[in-house]
Amino acid sequence: MESIPFDVMDPDCPSRVVLQRIGDKWTPLIVHALKDGTLRFSELRVAVGGITPKVLTQTLRTLERDGLVERTVFAEVPVRVEYRLTALGESLLGPLDAVRAWAESHAGNILQARDAFDATV
Amino acid sequence: MESIPFDVMDPDCPSRVVLQRIGDKWTPLIVHALKDGTLRFSELRVAVGGITPKVLTQTLRTLERDGLVERTVFAEVPVRVEYRLTALGESLLGPLDAVRAWAESHAGNILQARDAFDATV
DNA sequence: AGTACTTAGTATCTATTGGATACTCTCGGT
DNA sequence: ACCGAGAGTATCCAATAGATACTAAGTACT
């Protein structure tokens, strides 16, 4: 068992790729939407307001490939597809939720800072 | 004092813009680099390996505008410019560090998941 | 006087990513 | 034969990121 094999400040370290995936535009919102269980494609589209189907598909495929989300197809008519977090994906809920909570609780401060900044320019 | 005025799942909520700023490609790395104090432009470039000066400037300007980073110019020759976190920026260290730590400690799992996934395709 | 040196950036051009909108596919019901 | 539902693709255009080269200001050197 090694310690600290990864360092995000190193541009060639794989952990940087990982950081940029979980910090991408939609991943935090999708993971948050799935925190209470499974959702279908169309439910995810609504839960994550504003995402287009193309980008939702792309992001889900990447999350699946990275082992964070599991995709299950039910051979019904019409077809039903369910998405849910894997154990690895669930382990990401805590950290991402901290960032989400920060964003919600400090959004006001940032809007204020922008107004102040724009006023000086 | 209101509670929960912001919700990142709402596409029109300003907190979503904030989330996407702090979750952008370089912000977490820059904030992490500044955690121990001030750095000059050229030091930041080295600390955050792989960033081009254009993008570093863009990101720093945005962070400054949003009140997370303070920029100080010293009229020396050659000019010296120092960047440091504001109090608001420092409040972001905890949440972002949780995500960074997750990325470093789970990068191995994700690489494994990718290999497994690619093997099935 | 001219030139080199340092730091902190711009400028320019190209490649990649994201977004808007419309279309496809399957199959069962009417 | 035609329509509807769900889960996506296809296509095209705009915005963002990256590579590379260049600029500005002032002092020190020759």
XYZ file of all heavy atoms in Angstrom, chain B residues 28-98:
547
model
N -9.794 25.217 -9.124
C -9.396 24.447 -7.940
C -7.873 24.386 -7.785
O -7.362 24.431 -6.659
C -9.956 23.055 -8.211
C -11.050 23.259 -9.195
C -10.644 24.420 -10.026
N -7.160 24.308 -8.899
C -5.708 24.204 -8.817
C -5.087 25.527 -8.377
O -4.135 25.550 -7.591
C -5.150 23.767 -10.178
C -5.674 22.407 -10.663
C -5.193 22.118 -12.069
C -5.244 21.294 -9.714
N -5.635 26.628 -8.876
C -5.104 27.938 -8.498
C -5.372 28.218 -7.024
O -4.489 28.660 -6.287
C -5.723 29.036 -9.397
C -5.198 28.879 -10.829
C -5.409 30.413 -8.853
C -5.827 29.825 -11.829
N -6.591 27.933 -6.593
C -6.924 28.164 -5.188
C -6.030 27.310 -4.294
O -5.499 27.778 -3.275
C -8.417 27.863 -4.935
C -8.727 27.846 -3.450
C -9.280 28.905 -5.642
N -5.831 26.068 -4.694
C -4.973 25.185 -3.904
C -3.538 25.717 -3.856
O -2.881 25.677 -2.811
C -4.998 23.778 -4.513
C -4.204 22.771 -3.750
N -4.542 22.355 -2.485
C -3.073 22.104 -4.066
C -3.653 21.463 -2.058
N -2.751 21.286 -2.994
N -3.068 26.240 -4.981
C -1.696 26.749 -5.032
C -1.516 27.939 -4.095
O -0.426 28.170 -3.572
C -1.338 27.140 -6.464
N -2.591 28.688 -3.885
C -2.495 29.905 -3.066
C -2.808 29.649 -1.598
O -2.874 30.597 -0.813
C -3.453 30.972 -3.622
C -3.083 31.574 -4.977
C -4.179 32.501 -5.474
C -1.754 32.329 -4.879
N -2.950 28.393 -1.227
C -3.432 28.117 0.131
C -2.457 28.577 1.218
O -2.876 28.879 2.332
C -3.741 26.625 0.300
C -2.535 25.727 0.358
C -2.987 24.284 0.613
C -1.814 23.333 0.871
N -0.608 23.526 0.093
N -1.150 28.629 0.894
C -0.175 28.981 1.930
C 0.258 30.439 1.881
O 1.206 30.814 2.567
C 1.064 28.081 1.801
C 0.748 26.637 2.137
O -0.060 26.416 3.054
O 1.300 25.738 1.469
N -0.383 31.243 1.054
C -0.009 32.651 1.024
C 0.060 33.196 -0.390
O -0.546 32.650 -1.300
N 0.819 34.271 -0.551
C 0.843 34.945 -1.846
C 1.824 34.266 -2.794
O 2.801 33.658 -2.381
C 1.275 36.414 -1.687
O 2.651 36.458 -1.336
C 0.463 37.107 -0.612
N 1.498 34.383 -4.070
C 2.391 33.928 -5.131
C 2.374 34.963 -6.241
O 1.371 35.635 -6.468
C 1.941 32.569 -5.691
C 2.187 31.298 -4.870
C 1.684 30.086 -5.635
C 3.663 31.132 -4.533
N 3.492 35.057 -6.942
C 3.558 35.942 -8.096
C 3.030 35.201 -9.317
O 2.892 33.980 -9.309
C 5.003 36.374 -8.344
C 5.643 36.939 -7.114
C 7.089 37.244 -7.343
N 7.266 38.163 -8.483
C 8.386 38.824 -8.706
N 9.418 38.677 -7.891
N 8.485 39.620 -9.751
N 2.773 35.973 -10.371
C 2.248 35.386 -11.597
C 3.114 34.224 -12.073
O 2.621 33.119 -12.337
C 2.161 36.462 -12.681
C 1.498 36.021 -13.946
C 0.118 36.061 -14.072
C 2.254 35.557 -15.018
C -0.500 35.648 -15.249
C 1.639 35.140 -16.188
C 0.274 35.183 -16.306
N 4.411 34.479 -12.140
C 5.303 33.443 -12.674
C 5.389 32.241 -11.737
O 5.573 31.109 -12.190
C 6.691 34.029 -12.908
O 7.127 34.718 -11.749
N 5.239 32.476 -10.438
C 5.252 31.355 -9.493
C 3.995 30.516 -9.649
O 4.029 29.281 -9.559
C 5.373 31.874 -8.055
C 6.714 32.520 -7.761
C 6.743 33.252 -6.423
O 5.688 33.780 -5.992
O 7.810 33.318 -5.800
N 2.880 31.189 -9.882
C 1.621 30.467 -10.095
C 1.708 29.587 -11.330
O 1.236 28.455 -11.345
C 0.471 31.464 -10.263
C -0.325 31.791 -9.006
C -1.321 32.903 -9.292
C -1.057 30.552 -8.499
N 2.339 30.148 -12.353
C 2.486 29.379 -13.603
C 3.207 28.075 -13.362
O 2.872 27.045 -13.944
C 3.313 30.209 -14.587
C 2.526 30.710 -15.742
C 3.427 31.466 -16.680
N 3.746 30.692 -17.865
C 4.376 31.197 -18.933
N 4.742 32.458 -18.918
N 4.616 30.442 -19.968
N 4.215 28.125 -12.510
C 4.973 26.921 -12.210
C 4.177 26.009 -11.274
O 4.108 24.790 -11.484
C 6.336 27.295 -11.582
C 7.068 26.046 -11.143
C 7.169 28.103 -12.575
N 3.563 26.606 -10.260
C 2.829 25.808 -9.270
C 1.690 25.042 -9.932
O 1.468 23.862 -9.645
C 2.282 26.715 -8.168
N 0.978 25.717 -10.827
C -0.102 25.068 -11.559
C 0.473 24.609 -12.890
O 0.382 25.308 -13.880
C -1.270 26.039 -11.803
C -2.387 25.341 -12.550
C -1.779 26.611 -10.494
N 1.084 23.476 -12.901
C 1.773 23.034 -14.112
C 0.834 22.895 -15.292
O -0.297 22.433 -15.143
N 1.277 23.326 -16.467
C 0.526 23.067 -17.683
C -0.439 24.153 -18.104
O -1.082 24.030 -19.144
N -0.551 25.212 -17.329
C -1.483 26.283 -17.721
C -0.731 27.301 -18.580
O 0.441 27.583 -18.339
C -2.108 26.957 -16.472
C -3.308 27.805 -16.869
C -1.072 27.767 -15.714
C -4.126 28.315 -15.699
N -1.407 27.805 -19.614
C -0.772 28.823 -20.456
C -1.031 30.198 -19.844
O -1.997 30.394 -19.114
C -1.344 28.798 -21.885
O -2.726 29.123 -21.832
C -1.160 27.447 -22.522
N -0.150 31.169 -20.143
C -0.320 32.491 -19.533
C -1.661 33.119 -19.878
O -2.267 33.775 -19.023
C 0.849 33.308 -20.110
C 1.394 32.509 -21.234
C 1.049 31.084 -20.981
N -2.137 32.910 -21.066
C -3.422 33.508 -21.436
C -4.537 33.021 -20.522
O -5.304 33.819 -19.972
C -3.791 33.174 -22.888
C -5.020 33.931 -23.350
C -5.532 33.445 -24.698
C -6.364 32.193 -24.562
N -7.140 31.881 -25.767
N -4.586 31.708 -20.345
C -5.659 31.133 -19.546
C -5.467 31.458 -18.070
O -6.439 31.698 -17.344
C -5.735 29.613 -19.794
C -6.758 28.973 -18.885
C -6.077 29.353 -21.254
N -4.209 31.509 -17.615
C -3.969 31.885 -16.219
C -4.467 33.301 -15.969
O -5.152 33.569 -14.977
C -2.475 31.768 -15.908
C -2.062 32.144 -14.485
C -2.847 31.371 -13.438
C -0.556 31.940 -14.278
N -4.153 34.216 -16.878
C -4.634 35.584 -16.727
C -6.159 35.630 -16.700
O -6.755 36.257 -15.819
C -4.127 36.453 -17.889
O -2.710 36.425 -17.891
C -4.599 37.882 -17.748
N -6.780 34.962 -17.651
C -8.250 34.963 -17.712
C -8.849 34.467 -16.399
O -9.755 35.080 -15.834
C -8.727 34.045 -18.832
C -8.607 34.644 -20.215
C -8.930 33.627 -21.306
O -9.145 32.446 -21.014
N -8.960 34.074 -22.537
N -8.316 33.356 -15.916
C -8.885 32.765 -14.709
C -8.663 33.671 -13.503
O -9.573 33.873 -12.688
C -8.262 31.380 -14.467
O -8.355 30.607 -15.668
C -8.989 30.651 -13.359
N -7.470 34.245 -13.398
C -7.185 35.137 -12.267
C -8.074 36.374 -12.299
O -8.574 36.817 -11.261
C -5.709 35.551 -12.287
C -4.729 34.461 -11.839
C -3.294 34.883 -12.121
C -4.912 34.146 -10.353
N -8.307 36.924 -13.479
C -9.173 38.108 -13.576
C -10.577 37.777 -13.090
O -11.229 38.566 -12.408
C -9.225 38.598 -15.017
C -7.950 39.209 -15.533
C -7.682 40.589 -14.944
N -6.498 41.189 -15.565
C -5.245 40.908 -15.237
N -4.997 40.039 -14.275
N -4.240 41.491 -15.847
N -11.044 36.608 -13.474
C -12.388 36.211 -13.049
C -12.438 36.000 -11.542
O -13.384 36.431 -10.871
C -12.788 34.919 -13.775
O -12.606 35.102 -15.171
C -14.240 34.588 -13.506
N -11.420 35.345 -11.008
C -11.379 35.126 -9.566
C -11.319 36.455 -8.816
O -11.920 36.607 -7.743
C -10.166 34.256 -9.203
C -10.230 32.808 -9.677
C -8.916 32.085 -9.394
C -11.379 32.072 -8.990
N -10.612 37.406 -9.398
C -10.516 38.720 -8.769
C -11.885 39.408 -8.782
O -12.352 39.920 -7.758
C -9.490 39.572 -9.532
C -9.125 40.867 -8.842
C -8.296 41.769 -9.733
O -7.991 41.365 -10.882
O -7.971 42.889 -9.301
N -12.508 39.363 -9.934
C -13.828 39.972 -10.087
C -14.841 39.363 -9.135
O -15.730 40.038 -8.615
C -14.278 39.756 -11.535
C -15.592 40.392 -11.915
C -15.950 40.007 -13.354
N -17.274 39.469 -13.404
C -18.341 40.145 -13.877
N -18.188 41.346 -14.351
N -19.525 39.583 -13.876
N -14.693 38.063 -8.891
C -15.646 37.378 -8.011
C -15.259 37.484 -6.545
O -15.898 36.874 -5.681
C -15.758 35.899 -8.419
C -16.585 35.726 -9.687
O -17.184 36.711 -10.145
O -16.633 34.600 -10.214
N -14.189 38.230 -6.266
C -13.842 38.478 -4.877
C -13.154 37.325 -4.175
O -13.139 37.265 -2.944
N -12.581 36.397 -4.938
C -11.929 35.242 -4.315
C -10.421 35.443 -4.206
O -9.767 34.818 -3.371
C -12.215 33.977 -5.140
C -13.694 33.588 -5.224
C -13.902 32.519 -6.283
C -14.169 33.081 -3.882
N -9.875 36.291 -5.067
C -8.434 36.505 -5.122
C -8.175 38.005 -5.165
O -8.937 38.757 -5.766
C -7.843 35.812 -6.376
C -6.503 36.404 -6.763
C -7.715 34.311 -6.141
N -7.091 38.420 -4.515
C -6.714 39.832 -4.541
C -5.414 39.982 -5.319
O -4.500 39.179 -5.166
C -6.514 40.338 -3.113
C -6.414 41.831 -3.014
C -6.334 42.255 -1.549
O -5.252 42.092 -0.943
O -7.352 42.723 -1.022
N -5.356 40.991 -6.157
C -4.198 41.217 -7.019
C -3.535 42.516 -6.598
O -4.187 43.562 -6.512
C -4.677 41.320 -8.469
C -3.617 41.658 -9.488
C -4.201 41.565 -10.891
N -3.231 41.899 -11.912
C -3.043 43.123 -12.396
N -3.757 44.123 -11.945
N -2.142 43.328 -13.340
N -2.239 42.441 -6.337
C -1.505 43.624 -5.909
C -0.323 43.844 -6.827
O 0.490 42.942 -7.038
C -0.992 43.448 -4.465
O -2.054 42.970 -3.651
C -0.485 44.762 -3.916
N -0.230 45.047 -7.362
C 0.859 45.394 -8.268
C 1.866 46.241 -7.507
O 1.498 47.226 -6.869
C 0.335 46.199 -9.477
C 1.473 46.531 -10.423
C -0.759 45.434 -10.190
N 3.137 45.859 -7.570
C 4.199 46.648 -6.955
C 4.974 47.363 -8.054
O 5.458 46.711 -8.992
C 5.134 45.738 -6.159
C 4.461 45.094 -4.979
C 3.782 43.885 -5.125
C 4.484 45.707 -3.729
C 3.151 43.304 -4.045
C 3.859 45.114 -2.648
C 3.189 43.903 -2.807
N 5.094 48.665 -7.913
C 5.709 49.468 -8.977
C 7.221 49.362 -8.913
O 7.934 50.334 -8.706
C 5.261 50.923 -8.866
N 7.718 48.165 -9.073
C 9.155 47.956 -9.095
C 9.589 47.702 -10.529
O 8.773 47.666 -11.437
C 9.528 46.742 -8.236
C 9.029 46.846 -6.806
C 9.232 45.563 -6.024
O 9.717 44.578 -6.632
O 8.917 45.549 -4.831
N 10.871 47.501 -10.691
C 11.355 47.160 -12.017
C 12.255 45.948 -11.922
O 13.259 45.981 -11.224
C 12.148 48.322 -12.637
C 12.835 47.842 -13.918
C 11.238 49.488 -12.938
N 11.844 44.892 -12.636
C 10.581 44.759 -13.375
C 9.400 44.644 -12.422
O 9.575 44.323 -11.249
C 10.762 43.465 -14.168
C 12.014 42.839 -13.715
C 12.670 43.696 -12.717
N 8.224 44.922 -12.958
C 7.024 44.959 -12.123
C 6.818 43.630 -11.401
O 7.177 42.570 -11.917
C 5.804 45.304 -12.977
C 5.504 44.190 -13.947
C 4.593 45.609 -12.122
N 6.274 43.719 -10.181
C 5.967 42.504 -9.432
C 4.476 42.507 -9.158
O 3.916 43.544 -8.758
C 6.750 42.516 -8.116
C 6.526 41.321 -7.241
C 7.635 41.221 -6.199
N 7.763 42.454 -5.414
C 7.318 42.579 -4.162
N 6.735 41.583 -3.553
N 7.479 43.725 -3.525
N 3.827 41.378 -9.383
C 2.388 41.268 -9.128
C 2.158 40.066 -8.235
O 2.644 38.973 -8.533
C 1.602 41.111 -10.444
C 0.118 40.978 -10.169
C 1.865 42.276 -11.376
N 1.467 40.305 -7.152
C 1.222 39.212 -6.207
C -0.261 38.895 -6.130
O -1.110 39.793 -6.151
C 1.739 39.581 -4.816
C 3.255 39.541 -4.743
C 3.779 39.680 -3.323
O 2.978 40.007 -2.422
O 4.973 39.457 -3.110
N -0.523 37.621 -6.002
C -1.902 37.161 -5.867
C -2.048 36.444 -4.537
O -1.179 35.662 -4.135
C -2.242 36.198 -7.005
C -2.284 36.866 -8.357
C -1.147 36.934 -9.158
C -3.455 37.457 -8.814
C -1.185 37.566 -10.399
C -3.494 38.081 -10.052
C -2.355 38.139 -10.830
O -2.397 38.764 -12.048
N -3.182 36.701 -3.876
C -3.464 35.941 -2.661
C -4.966 35.779 -2.491
O -5.756 36.554 -3.054
C -2.848 36.596 -1.426
C -3.461 37.914 -1.043
C -2.774 38.473 0.196
N -3.418 39.698 0.639
C -4.537 39.716 1.379
N -5.097 38.602 1.753
N -5.068 40.878 1.733
N -5.346 34.789 -1.721
C -6.766 34.545 -1.494
C -7.341 35.617 -0.584
O -6.680 36.069 0.355
C -6.970 33.170 -0.836
C -6.578 31.950 -1.673
C -6.766 30.678 -0.853
C -7.395 31.884 -2.948
N -8.573 36.010 -0.854
C -9.307 36.850 0.087
C -9.913 35.937 1.160
O -9.765 34.716 1.108
C -10.451 37.573 -0.624
O -11.345 36.564 -1.135
C -9.935 38.411 -1.776
N -10.608 36.530 2.120
C -11.277 35.720 3.141
C -12.295 34.801 2.472
O -12.404 33.615 2.825
C -11.967 36.631 4.163
N -13.007 35.346 1.487
C -13.980 34.515 0.768
C -13.277 33.365 0.063
O -13.738 32.214 0.102
C -14.726 35.397 -0.247
C -15.917 34.769 -0.982
C -16.994 34.318 -0.016
C -16.505 35.760 -1.999
N -12.149 33.652 -0.545
C -11.374 32.618 -1.220
C -10.894 31.552 -0.251
O -10.902 30.360 -0.557
N -10.492 31.988 0.929
C -10.018 31.015 1.921
C -11.144 30.105 2.392
O -10.915 28.937 2.708
C -9.384 31.737 3.108
C -7.977 32.223 2.793
C -7.344 32.970 3.959
O -7.949 32.995 5.054
O -6.239 33.519 3.769
N -12.353 30.636 2.424
C -13.485 29.810 2.863
C -13.775 28.693 1.864
O -14.479 27.734 2.166
C -14.733 30.679 3.057
O -15.290 31.047 1.806
N -13.191 28.835 0.678
C -13.401 27.823 -0.349
C -12.369 26.693 -0.245
O -12.555 25.614 -0.830
C -13.308 28.505 -1.718
C -13.660 27.745 -2.989
C -15.002 27.077 -2.883
C -13.618 28.687 -4.184
N -11.315 26.920 0.510
C -10.241 25.931 0.597
C -10.732 24.578 1.097
O -10.375 23.541 0.534
C -9.130 26.437 1.527
C -8.102 27.365 0.888
C -7.156 27.907 1.954
C -7.321 26.617 -0.179
N -11.547 24.593 2.143
C -12.003 23.324 2.712
C -12.761 22.482 1.700
O -12.352 21.353 1.403
N -13.858 23.012 1.149
C -14.620 22.243 0.162
C -13.779 21.767 -1.015
O -13.856 20.601 -1.397
C -15.690 23.240 -0.291
C -15.883 24.158 0.852
C -14.560 24.259 1.533
N -12.977 22.661 -1.572
C -12.199 22.252 -2.747
C -11.150 21.212 -2.381
O -10.850 20.311 -3.164
C -11.525 23.458 -3.393
C -12.411 24.321 -4.270
C -11.574 25.319 -5.055
C -13.217 23.453 -5.230
N -10.615 21.327 -1.172
C -9.605 20.364 -0.786
C -10.209 18.974 -0.626
O -9.547 17.967 -0.903
C -8.930 20.801 0.510
C -7.511 20.290 0.588
O -6.742 20.610 -0.347
O -7.183 19.553 1.530
N -11.462 18.927 -0.198
C -12.134 17.626 -0.076
C -12.221 16.963 -1.449
O -11.980 15.757 -1.580
C -13.527 17.815 0.526
